[in-house]
Coordinates of all heavy atoms in Angstrom, one line a residue:
A235 N 11.1 5.1 54.1 CA 11.2 3.8 54.7 C 12.1 3.8 55.9 O 12.9 4.7 56.1 CB 11.7 2.8 53.6
A236 N 12.0 2.7 56.7 CA 12.8 2.6 57.9 C 13.3 1.2 58.0 O 12.8 0.3 57.4 CB 12.0 2.9 59.1
G237 N 14.4 1.0 58.7 CA 15.0 -0.3 58.9 C 15.9 -0.7 57.7 O 16.2 0.1 56.8
P238 N 16.5 -1.9 57.8 CA 17.5 -2.3 56.8 C 16.9 -2.6 55.5 O 15.7 -2.9 55.3 CB 18.1 -3.5 57.4 CG 17.0 -4.1 58.3 CD 16.3 -2.9 58.8
V239 N 17.7 -2.5 54.4 CA 17.3 -2.9 53.1 C 17.8 -4.3 53.0 O 18.9 -4.7 53.4 CB 18.0 -2.0 52.0 CG1 17.8 -2.6 50.6 CG2 17.6 -0.6 52.1
I240 N 17.0 -5.2 52.4 CA 17.4 -6.6 52.3 C 17.6 -6.9 50.8 O 16.7 -6.6 50.0 CB 16.3 -7.6 52.8 CG1 15.9 -7.1 54.2 CG2 16.7 -9.0 52.7 CD1 16.2 -7.9 55.3
V241 N 18.7 -7.4 50.4 CA 19.1 -7.7 49.0 C 19.2 -9.2 48.9 O 20.0 -9.8 49.7 CB 20.4 -7.0 48.6 CG1 20.7 -7.4 47.2 CG2 20.2 -5.5 48.7
E242 N 18.5 -9.8 48.0 CA 18.7 -11.2 47.7 C 18.9 -11.4 46.3 O 18.5 -10.6 45.5 CB 17.6 -12.1 48.3 CG 16.2 -11.9 47.7 CD 15.2 -12.8 48.2 OE1 15.4 -13.4 49.3 OE2 14.2 -12.9 47.6
G243 N 19.5 -12.5 45.9 CA 19.7 -12.8 44.5 C 21.1 -12.4 44.1 O 21.9 -12.0 44.9
P244 N 21.3 -12.3 42.8 CA 22.7 -12.1 42.3 C 23.3 -10.7 42.7 O 24.5 -10.6 42.9 CB 22.5 -12.1 40.8 CG 21.3 -13.0 40.6 CD 20.4 -12.7 41.8
F245 N 22.4 -9.7 42.9 CA 23.0 -8.4 43.3 C 23.7 -8.5 44.6 O 24.5 -7.7 44.9 CB 21.9 -7.3 43.3 CG 21.6 -6.7 42.0 CD1 20.3 -6.7 41.5 CD2 22.6 -6.0 41.3 CE1 20.0 -6.1 40.3 CE2 22.3 -5.4 40.1 CZ 21.0 -5.4 39.6
G246 N 23.3 -9.4 45.5 CA 23.9 -9.6 46.8 C 25.4 -9.9 46.7 O 26.2 -9.7 47.6
G247 N 25.8 -10.5 45.5 CA 27.2 -10.8 45.4 C 28.1 -9.7 44.9 O 29.3 -9.8 44.8
N248 N 27.5 -8.5 44.6 CA 28.2 -7.4 44.1 C 28.5 -6.4 45.3 O 27.6 -5.6 45.7 CB 27.4 -6.7 43.0 CG 28.1 -5.5 42.3 OD1 28.9 -4.9 43.0 ND2 27.8 -5.3 41.1
A249 N 29.7 -6.5 45.8 CA 30.0 -5.7 47.0 C 29.9 -4.2 46.8 O 29.5 -3.5 47.7 CB 31.4 -6.1 47.5
A250 N 30.3 -3.8 45.6 CA 30.2 -2.3 45.3 C 28.7 -1.9 45.3 O 28.4 -0.8 45.8 CB 30.9 -2.0 44.0
F251 N 27.9 -2.7 44.7 CA 26.4 -2.3 44.7 C 25.9 -2.3 46.1 O 25.2 -1.3 46.4 CB 25.6 -3.4 43.9 CG 24.2 -3.2 44.0 CD1 23.5 -2.2 43.2 CD2 23.4 -4.0 44.8 CE1 22.1 -2.1 43.3 CE2 22.0 -3.8 45.0 CZ 21.4 -2.9 44.2
V252 N 26.2 -3.3 46.9 CA 25.7 -3.3 48.3 C 26.2 -2.1 49.1 O 25.4 -1.5 49.8 CB 26.1 -4.6 49.0 CG1 25.7 -4.6 50.4 CG2 25.4 -5.8 48.2
R253 N 27.5 -1.8 48.9 CA 28.0 -0.6 49.7 C 27.4 0.7 49.2 O 27.0 1.5 50.0 CB 29.5 -0.6 49.5 CG 30.1 0.7 50.2 CD 31.6 0.7 50.1 NE 32.1 0.1 51.3 CZ 33.3 0.0 51.7 NH1 34.2 0.4 50.8 NH2 33.7 -0.5 52.8
M254 N 27.2 0.8 47.9 CA 26.6 2.1 47.4 C 25.2 2.2 47.8 O 24.7 3.3 48.1 CB 26.8 2.1 45.8 CG 26.5 3.5 45.2 SD 27.7 4.7 45.7 CE 26.7 5.9 46.5
L255 N 24.4 1.1 47.8 CA 23.0 1.1 48.2 C 22.9 1.5 49.6 O 22.1 2.3 50.0 CB 22.4 -0.3 48.0 CG 20.9 -0.4 48.3 CD1 20.1 0.6 47.5 CD2 20.5 -1.8 48.1
A256 N 23.8 1.0 50.5 CA 23.8 1.4 51.9 C 24.1 2.9 52.1 O 23.5 3.6 52.8 CB 24.8 0.6 52.7
T257 N 25.1 3.4 51.3 CA 25.5 4.8 51.4 C 24.4 5.7 50.8 O 24.1 6.7 51.4 CB 26.8 5.0 50.6 OG1 27.8 4.1 51.2 CG2 27.3 6.4 50.8
A258 N 23.8 5.3 49.7 CA 22.8 6.2 49.0 C 21.5 6.2 49.9 O 20.9 7.3 49.9 CB 22.5 5.7 47.6
T259 N 21.2 5.1 50.5 CA 20.0 5.1 51.3 C 20.2 5.6 52.8 O 19.2 5.9 53.5 CB 19.3 3.8 51.3 OG1 20.2 2.8 52.0 CG2 18.9 3.3 49.9
G260 N 21.4 5.5 53.2 CA 21.7 5.9 54.6 C 21.2 4.8 55.6 O 21.0 5.1 56.8
R261 N 21.0 3.6 55.1 CA 20.4 2.5 55.9 C 21.3 1.3 55.7 O 21.9 1.1 54.7 CB 19.0 2.2 55.4 CG 18.1 3.4 55.6 CD 16.7 3.2 54.9 NE 16.1 1.9 55.0 CZ 15.2 1.5 54.1 NH1 14.8 2.3 53.2 NH2 14.7 0.3 54.3
P262 N 21.3 0.4 56.8 CA 22.1 -0.8 56.6 C 21.5 -1.7 55.5 O 20.3 -1.7 55.3 CB 22.0 -1.5 58.0 CG 21.3 -0.5 58.9 CD 20.7 0.6 58.1
V263 N 22.3 -2.4 54.8 CA 21.9 -3.4 53.8 C 22.3 -4.8 54.2 O 23.5 -5.0 54.5 CB 22.5 -3.0 52.4 CG1 22.2 -4.1 51.4 CG2 22.0 -1.7 52.0
I264 N 21.4 -5.7 54.2 CA 21.6 -7.1 54.6 C 21.5 -7.9 53.3 O 20.5 -7.9 52.6 CB 20.6 -7.6 55.7 CG1 20.8 -6.7 56.9 CG2 20.8 -9.1 55.9 CD1 19.8 -7.0 58.0
V265 N 22.5 -8.7 53.1 CA 22.5 -9.6 51.9 C 21.9 -10.9 52.4 O 22.5 -11.6 53.3 CB 23.9 -9.8 51.3 CG1 23.9 -10.8 50.2 CG2 24.5 -8.5 50.9
A266 N 20.8 -11.3 51.9 CA 20.1 -12.5 52.3 C 20.5 -13.7 51.6 O 20.2 -14.8 52.0 CB 18.6 -12.3 52.2
G267 N 21.2 -13.6 50.5 CA 21.7 -14.7 49.8 C 22.1 -14.3 48.4 O 21.6 -13.3 47.9
Q268 N 23.0 -15.0 47.8 CA 23.5 -14.6 46.5 C 22.9 -15.5 45.4 O 23.2 -15.3 44.2 CB 25.0 -14.7 46.5 CG 25.6 -13.7 47.4 CD 27.1 -13.8 47.5 OE1 27.7 -14.4 46.6 NE2 27.7 -13.2 48.4
G269 N 22.2 -16.5 45.7 CA 21.5 -17.4 44.7 C 20.3 -16.8 44.2 O 19.9 -15.7 44.5
A270 N 19.6 -17.5 43.4 CA 18.4 -17.0 42.8 C 17.3 -17.1 43.9 O 17.0 -18.1 44.4 CB 18.0 -17.9 41.6
G271 N 16.8 -15.9 44.3 CA 15.8 -15.8 45.4 C 14.6 -16.6 45.1 O 14.0 -17.3 45.9
T272 N 14.1 -16.6 43.8 CA 12.9 -17.3 43.4 C 13.1 -18.8 43.6 O 12.2 -19.5 44.1 CB 12.5 -17.0 42.0 OG1 12.4 -15.6 41.8 CG2 11.2 -17.7 41.6
G273 N 14.2 -19.4 43.2 CA 14.5 -20.8 43.3 C 14.6 -21.2 44.8 O 14.0 -22.2 45.2
L274 N 15.2 -20.4 45.6 CA 15.3 -20.7 47.0 C 13.9 -20.7 47.7 O 13.6 -21.5 48.5 CB 16.2 -19.7 47.8 CG 16.4 -20.0 49.3 CD1 16.9 -21.4 49.6 CD2 17.3 -18.9 49.8
G275 N 13.1 -19.7 47.3 CA 11.8 -19.6 47.8 C 11.0 -20.8 47.5 O 10.2 -21.3 48.3
A276 N 11.1 -21.3 46.3 CA 10.4 -22.5 45.8 C 10.8 -23.7 46.6 O 10.0 -24.5 47.1 CB 10.5 -22.7 44.3
A277 N 12.1 -23.8 46.9 CA 12.7 -24.9 47.6 C 12.1 -24.9 49.1 O 11.9 -25.9 49.7 CB 14.2 -24.9 47.6
L278 N 12.0 -23.7 49.6 CA 11.5 -23.6 51.0 C 10.1 -24.0 51.2 O 9.6 -24.3 52.3 CB 11.8 -22.1 51.5 CG 13.2 -21.8 51.8 CD1 13.3 -20.3 52.1 CD2 13.8 -22.6 52.9
L279 N 9.3 -24.0 50.1 CA 8.0 -24.5 50.1 C 7.9 -25.9 50.5 O 6.9 -26.4 51.1 CB 7.2 -24.2 48.8 CG 7.0 -22.8 48.4 CD1 6.4 -22.7 47.0 CD2 6.0 -22.2 49.4
A280 N 9.0 -26.7 50.2 CA 9.0 -28.1 50.6 C 9.3 -28.3 52.1 O 9.1 -29.4 52.6 CB 10.1 -28.8 49.7
G281 N 9.8 -27.3 52.7 CA 10.2 -27.4 54.1 C 11.3 -26.5 54.5 O 12.0 -26.0 53.6
P282 N 11.6 -26.4 55.8 CA 12.7 -25.5 56.2 C 14.1 -26.1 55.8 O 14.2 -27.3 55.6 CB 12.6 -25.4 57.7 CG 11.8 -26.7 58.1 CD 11.0 -27.0 56.9
L283 N 15.1 -25.2 55.8 CA 16.4 -25.7 55.5 C 16.9 -26.5 56.6 O 16.6 -26.3 57.8 CB 17.4 -24.5 55.3 CG 17.1 -23.6 54.1 CD1 18.0 -22.3 54.2 CD2 17.3 -24.3 52.9
A284 N 17.7 -27.6 56.3 CA 18.2 -28.5 57.4 C 19.3 -27.9 58.2 O 19.5 -28.3 59.3 CB 18.6 -29.8 56.7
I285 N 20.0 -26.9 57.6 CA 21.1 -26.3 58.3 C 20.8 -24.8 58.7 O 20.3 -24.1 57.9 CB 22.3 -26.2 57.4 CG1 22.7 -27.6 56.9 CG2 23.5 -25.6 58.1 CD1 23.7 -27.7 55.8
A286 N 21.0 -24.5 60.0 CA 20.7 -23.1 60.4 C 21.9 -22.3 59.9 O 23.0 -22.6 60.0 CB 20.7 -23.1 61.9
R287 N 21.5 -21.1 59.3 CA 22.5 -20.2 58.8 C 22.6 -19.0 59.7 O 21.6 -18.5 60.2 CB 22.1 -19.8 57.4 CG 22.2 -20.9 56.4 CD 21.6 -20.6 55.1 NE 22.1 -19.4 54.5 CZ 21.7 -18.9 53.4 NH1 20.8 -19.5 52.7 NH2 22.3 -17.8 52.9
P288 N 23.8 -18.5 60.0 CA 23.9 -17.3 60.9 C 23.3 -16.1 60.2 O 23.3 -16.0 58.9 CB 25.4 -17.2 61.1 CG 26.0 -17.9 59.9 CD 25.1 -19.0 59.5
D289 N 22.9 -15.2 61.0 CA 22.4 -13.9 60.4 C 23.6 -13.2 59.7 O 24.7 -13.1 60.4 CB 21.8 -13.0 61.5 CG 20.5 -13.5 62.0 OD1 19.8 -14.3 61.2 OD2 20.1 -13.2 63.1
P290 N 23.4 -12.7 58.5 CA 24.5 -12.0 57.9 C 24.8 -10.6 58.5 O 23.8 -10.0 59.0 CB 24.0 -11.8 56.4 CG 22.6 -11.9 56.5 CD 22.2 -12.8 57.7
A291 N 26.0 -10.2 58.5 CA 26.4 -8.9 59.0 C 25.9 -7.8 58.0 O 26.1 -8.0 56.8 CB 27.8 -8.8 59.3
P292 N 25.3 -6.8 58.5 CA 24.8 -5.8 57.5 C 26.0 -4.9 57.0 O 27.0 -4.7 57.7 CB 23.9 -4.9 58.3 CG 24.3 -5.1 59.7 CD 24.9 -6.5 59.8
E293 N 25.8 -4.4 55.8 CA 26.8 -3.4 55.2 C 26.2 -2.1 55.7 O 25.1 -1.8 55.4 CB 26.8 -3.5 53.7 CG 27.6 -2.4 53.0 CD 29.1 -2.7 53.2 OE1 29.5 -3.9 53.1 OE2 29.9 -1.7 53.4
L294 N 27.0 -1.3 56.4 CA 26.6 0.0 56.9 C 26.9 1.1 55.9 O 27.8 0.9 55.1 CB 27.2 0.2 58.2 CG 26.9 -0.8 59.3 CD1 27.7 -0.5 60.6 CD2 25.4 -0.9 59.6
P295 N 26.1 2.2 55.9 CA 26.5 3.3 55.1 C 27.9 3.7 55.2 O 28.4 3.8 56.4 CB 25.5 4.4 55.5 CG 24.4 3.6 56.1 CD 25.0 2.4 56.8
D296 N 28.6 4.0 54.2 CA 30.0 4.5 54.2 C 30.0 6.0 54.2 O 29.5 6.6 53.3 CB 30.7 4.0 52.9 CG 32.2 4.1 53.0 OD1 32.6 5.1 53.6 OD2 32.9 3.2 52.5
R297 N 30.5 6.6 55.2 CA 30.5 8.0 55.4 C 31.7 8.7 54.8 O 31.8 9.9 54.7 CB 30.4 8.4 56.9 CG 29.2 7.8 57.6 CD 27.9 8.4 57.1 NE 26.8 7.9 57.9 CZ 25.6 7.7 57.4 NH1 25.4 8.0 56.2 NH2 24.7 7.2 58.2
G298 N 32.6 7.9 54.3 CA 33.9 8.4 53.7 C 33.8 8.6 52.2 O 32.8 8.1 51.6
R299 N 34.7 9.3 51.7 CA 34.8 9.4 50.2 C 35.4 8.2 49.6 O 36.1 7.4 50.3 CB 35.8 10.6 49.9 CG 35.2 11.9 50.4 CD 36.1 13.0 50.0 NE 35.4 14.3 50.0 CZ 36.0 15.4 50.1 NH1 37.3 15.5 50.3 NH2 35.3 16.5 50.0
P300 N 35.2 7.8 48.4 CA 34.4 8.5 47.4 C 32.9 8.1 47.4 O 32.1 8.7 46.7 CB 35.0 8.0 46.1 CG 35.4 6.6 46.4 CD 35.8 6.6 47.8
W301 N 32.5 7.2 48.3 CA 31.1 6.7 48.3 C 30.1 7.8 48.6 O 29.1 7.9 47.9 CB 31.0 5.5 49.3 CG 31.9 4.4 49.0 CD1 33.1 4.1 49.5 CD2 31.6 3.4 48.0 NE1 33.6 3.0 48.9 CE2 32.8 2.5 48.0 CE3 30.6 3.1 47.1 CZ2 32.9 1.4 47.2 CZ3 30.7 2.0 46.3 CH2 31.9 1.2 46.3
S302 N 30.3 8.5 49.7 CA 29.4 9.6 50.0 C 29.3 10.7 49.0 O 28.3 11.3 48.7 CB 29.6 10.1 51.4 OG 30.9 10.6 51.5
D303 N 30.5 11.0 48.4 CA 30.5 12.1 47.4 C 29.7 11.6 46.2 O 29.0 12.4 45.6 CB 32.0 12.4 47.0 CG 32.8 13.1 48.0 OD1 32.2 13.6 49.0 OD2 34.0 13.2 47.9
Y304 N 29.9 10.4 45.8 CA 29.1 9.9 44.6 C 27.6 9.9 44.9 O 26.9 10.3 44.0 CB 29.6 8.5 44.2 CG 28.9 8.0 43.0 CD1 29.5 8.3 41.7 CD2 27.8 7.2 43.0 CE1 28.9 7.8 40.6 CE2 27.2 6.8 41.9 CZ 27.7 7.1 40.7 OH 27.1 6.6 39.5
A305 N 27.2 9.4 46.1 CA 25.8 9.4 46.4 C 25.2 10.8 46.4 O 24.1 11.1 45.9 CB 25.6 8.8 47.8
A306 N 26.0 11.8 46.9 CA 25.5 13.2 46.9 C 25.4 13.7 45.4 O 24.4 14.4 45.1 CB 26.5 14.1 47.7
A307 N 26.4 13.4 44.6 CA 26.3 13.9 43.2 C 25.2 13.2 42.5 O 24.5 13.8 41.7 CB 27.6 13.5 42.5
W308 N 24.9 12.0 42.8 CA 23.7 11.2 42.2 C 22.4 11.9 42.6 O 21.6 12.1 41.7 CB 23.8 9.8 42.6 CG 22.7 9.0 42.1 CD1 22.6 8.4 40.8 CD2 21.5 8.6 42.7 NE1 21.4 7.7 40.7 CE2 20.7 7.8 41.9 CE3 21.0 8.9 44.0 CZ2 19.5 7.3 42.2 CZ3 19.7 8.3 44.4 CH2 19.0 7.6 43.5
R309 N 22.3 12.2 43.9 CA 21.1 12.9 44.3 C 20.9 14.2 43.6 O 19.8 14.6 43.2 CB 21.1 13.1 45.8 CG 20.8 11.8 46.6 CD 20.7 12.2 48.1 NE 20.8 10.9 48.8 CZ 21.9 10.5 49.4 NH1 23.0 11.2 49.3 NH2 21.9 9.4 50.1
T310 N 21.9 15.0 43.5 CA 21.9 16.3 42.8 C 21.4 16.1 41.4 O 20.6 16.9 40.9 CB 23.2 17.0 42.9 OG1 23.5 17.2 44.3 CG2 23.2 18.4 42.2
A311 N 22.0 15.2 40.7 CA 21.7 14.9 39.2 C 20.2 14.5 39.1 O 19.6 15.0 38.2 CB 22.6 13.9 38.7
V312 N 19.8 13.6 40.0 CA 18.4 13.2 39.9 C 17.4 14.4 40.2 O 16.4 14.6 39.4 CB 18.1 12.0 40.9 CG1 16.6 11.7 41.0 CG2 18.9 10.8 40.4
A313 N 17.7 15.2 41.2 CA 16.9 16.3 41.5 C 16.8 17.3 40.3 O 15.8 17.8 40.0 CB 17.4 17.0 42.7
K314 N 18.0 17.5 39.6 CA 18.0 18.4 38.5 C 17.2 17.8 37.4 O 16.4 18.6 36.7 CB 19.4 18.6 38.0 CG 19.5 19.6 36.9 CD 21.0 19.8 36.5 CE 21.2 20.8 35.3 NZ 20.1 21.0 34.4
R315 N 17.2 16.6 37.1 CA 16.4 16.0 36.0 C 14.9 16.1 36.3 O 14.2 16.4 35.4 CB 16.7 14.5 35.9 CG 18.0 14.2 35.3 CD 17.8 13.4 34.1 NE 19.0 13.1 33.4 CZ 19.1 12.6 32.3 NH1 18.0 12.3 31.6 NH2 20.2 12.4 31.7
W316 N 14.5 15.9 37.6 CA 13.1 16.1 37.9 C 12.7 17.6 37.8 O 11.6 17.9 37.3 CB 12.8 15.6 39.3 CG 12.7 14.1 39.3 CD1 13.6 13.2 39.8 CD2 11.5 13.4 38.9 NE1 13.0 11.9 39.6 CE2 11.8 12.0 39.0 CE3 10.3 13.7 38.3 CZ2 10.9 11.0 38.7 CZ3 9.4 12.7 38.0 CH2 9.7 11.4 38.2
A317 N 13.6 18.5 38.2 CA 13.3 19.9 38.1 C 13.2 20.3 36.6 O 12.3 21.1 36.3 CB 14.3 20.7 38.8
D318 N 14.0 19.7 35.7 CA 14.0 20.1 34.3 C 12.7 19.6 33.6 O 12.3 20.1 32.6 CB 15.2 19.5 33.6 CG 16.5 20.2 34.0 OD1 16.4 21.3 34.6 OD2 17.6 19.7 33.7
R319 N 12.0 18.6 34.2 CA 10.8 18.1 33.6 C 9.6 19.0 33.8 O 8.6 18.9 33.1 CB 10.5 16.7 34.2 CG 11.5 15.6 33.9 CD 11.1 14.4 34.5 NE 9.8 14.0 34.0 CZ 9.3 12.7 34.1 NH1 10.1 11.8 34.5 NH2 8.1 12.5 33.6
S320 N 9.7 19.9 34.7 CA 8.6 20.8 35.1 C 8.4 21.9 34.1 O 9.3 22.4 33.5 CB 8.7 21.4 36.4 OG 8.9 20.4 37.4

């Protein structure tokens, strides 16, 4: 995939999840909202929001420890699991 990852809904309120997702994917992550995405989508069917919201700043991949170390260890563990299945 290319471009930013967009997170909406309750996971957007979890700063550690957003940072780890950015680090693990190597892509910016944009939090589109912390409410229920389905409910907001249904509300938008009635018309546009009356208030313009600024574009959220993306969470960029963290190149420092411990985030990048954890992402590397996770990739190694997943690769080993897949290799063990063969």
Side-chain angles (χ1 to χ4, degrees):
V239 175
I240 311 247
V241 175
E242 65 178 18
F245 275 124
N248 185 328
F251 171 79
V252 171
R253 176 177 267 184
M254 192 69 241
L255 183 59
T257 302
T259 62
R261 297 167 43 201
V263 173
I264 297 172
V265 176
Q268 295 177 15
T272 304
L274 180 59
L278 288 172
L279 290 174
L283 295 174
I285 303 168
R287 295 169 53 181
D289 289 336
E293 176 74 37
L294 300 176
D296 194 324
R297 304 292 183 214
R299 293 181 158 159
W301 301 97
S302 59
D303 289 348
Y304 184 85
W308 179 81
R309 282 188 197 95
T310 299
V312 169
K314 182 178 181 334
R315 285 240 180 190
W316 278 103
D318 289 347
R319 292 179 60 158
S320 306

